[in-house]
Amino acid sequence: MKSITESSKNNVILFPKTAQYYEEELARLLRHEQYSDAMQLLAYLLQFPGVDPVKQEQWGALQQWLLTMFPEVAFPLSEAQEEEAGEIESDFVRQAIREKSAVDQSEFTAKLQQMLVQGTLEQQVNALEQMAFLDQPELGPFVTEWLTERPRHPHIQFKALQTLRRNGEQGTIALPKNGQQVLLDIEDTPISPEDFPSRIRDMIRRIGDISEISQPDFVYFASQTWQEFLAYAYGTPLYAELAQAEESAVDVWASALHIILQEKLFGMAVREELLDNYGIVDEMTLPWKRAYNTLQAFVKQFSPDPG
């Protein structure tokens, strides 16, 4: 995560809604044992001046606990090392899940299937994440049937497609999504943010470029929302439009998302200034309004209000 520079420190404020969102995100990271990401988020939060001393003390104590229990999170890896570590971590996870299922494979698989069919959204995600590391031929058809039988939450649909791809499934799958039937090739499903088309990746990077001075880590929140939006749009004509967009569309979508999140977190956004920063000129007004309305509808429907 980016740090707050001395020159910008006095201009950066951690608003209550933003603080609440980050604390919820921190809880999620800890719940899923993503300690490195949690440490980065804590380091960012502890830079803010004028934070409630009690809250700052809690963050500091949590940071110290993470350093004590997981000292490796204090030493960031290079990109190559991160890629290698990610592969090693996947191997460990796969091995751990196989060992968990080794005692009674059929019972373990049945529990995961029950979680997927009857569980909460979070339990369904947990089940799919574990299924992704099990080499059991019957899981592919089971997940496929569950995924295609009726409309599901866009996030869980996308997670299921990732599970199918990780399990080596291939071919075209038809599923109901956003009021229409969509056809998707399982092997094309992005597994990580870097698997998305370059134009789509550029849109979120643009927000980082614009916000890095005045709001050094605003892009962190924006990235989470953007990934949720991509899961919502994946497989639809809207996603195809984003993937094949012209370069000018990068500024259109990035600025629309930036303004919506400013309004959501802080209750307002200085539109004229932001539109100028992104280079939105008069002839881009109509596509910008369309992007704004599309993202606004998505945020209202699927993204929880942080405050």
Side-chain angles (χ1 to χ4, degrees), residues 92 149 165 189 229 293:
F92 275 128
E149 66 182 0
R165 181 184 169 186
T189 306
F229 176 69
N293 290 335

Side-chain angles (χ1 to χ4, degrees), residues 154 177-178 180 182 184 227-240 242 294 298:
K177 180 168 186 175
N178 301 347
Q180 56 188 307
V182 299
L184 298 165
Q227 289 301 313
E228 293 169 6
F229 176 69
L230 292 177
Y232 160 79
Y234 187 70
T236 68
L238 172 59
Y239 180 84
L242 291 170
T294 301
F298 162 76

Side-chain angles (χ1 to χ4, degrees), residues 177-212:
K177 180 168 186 175
N178 301 347
Q180 56 188 307
Q181 195 80 356
V182 299
L183 294 176
L184 298 165
D185 291 325
I186 295 172
E187 57 268 33
D188 291 340
T189 306
I191 296 295
S192 70
E194 291 305 312
D195 288 340
F196 286 95
S198 59
R199 196 68 82 201
I200 286 176
R201 299 198 307 270
D202 288 343
M203 291 170 183
I204 199 64
R205 288 172 181 163
R206 185 75 172 114
I207 293 180
D209 292 340
I210 294 295
S211 64
E212 65 179 349

Side-chain angles (χ1 to χ4, degrees), residues 8 20-21 27 100 105 123 181 198 206 219 285:
S8 64
Q20 183 178 342
Y21 166 78
K100 190 188 298 185
Q105 191 173 85
Q123 289 172 332
Q181 195 80 356
S198 59
R206 185 75 172 114
V219 71
T285 299

Side-chain angles (χ1 to χ4, degrees), residues 258-294:
H258 195 145
I259 288 172
I260 285 171
L261 294 182
Q262 288 272 310
E263 294 170 345
K264 181 179 177 65
L265 283 172
F266 313 132
M268 63 163 293
V270 185
R271 285 198 182 193
E272 294 76 12
E273 180 180 337
L274 283 170
L275 291 174
D276 184 61
N277 289 341
Y278 280 95
I280 304 300
V281 294
D282 289 345
E283 55 265 32
M284 300 163 73
T285 299
L286 286 178
W288 185 88
K289 286 182 177 179
R290 177 174 173 270
Y292 178 89
N293 290 335
T294 301

Side-chain angles (χ1 to χ4, degrees), residues 128-144:
L128 287 168
E129 287 177 343
Q130 294 187 71
M131 287 178 178
F133 292 99
L134 288 175
D135 295 327
Q136 296 184 30
E138 69 270 23
L139 284 178
F142 180 85
V143 173
T144 299

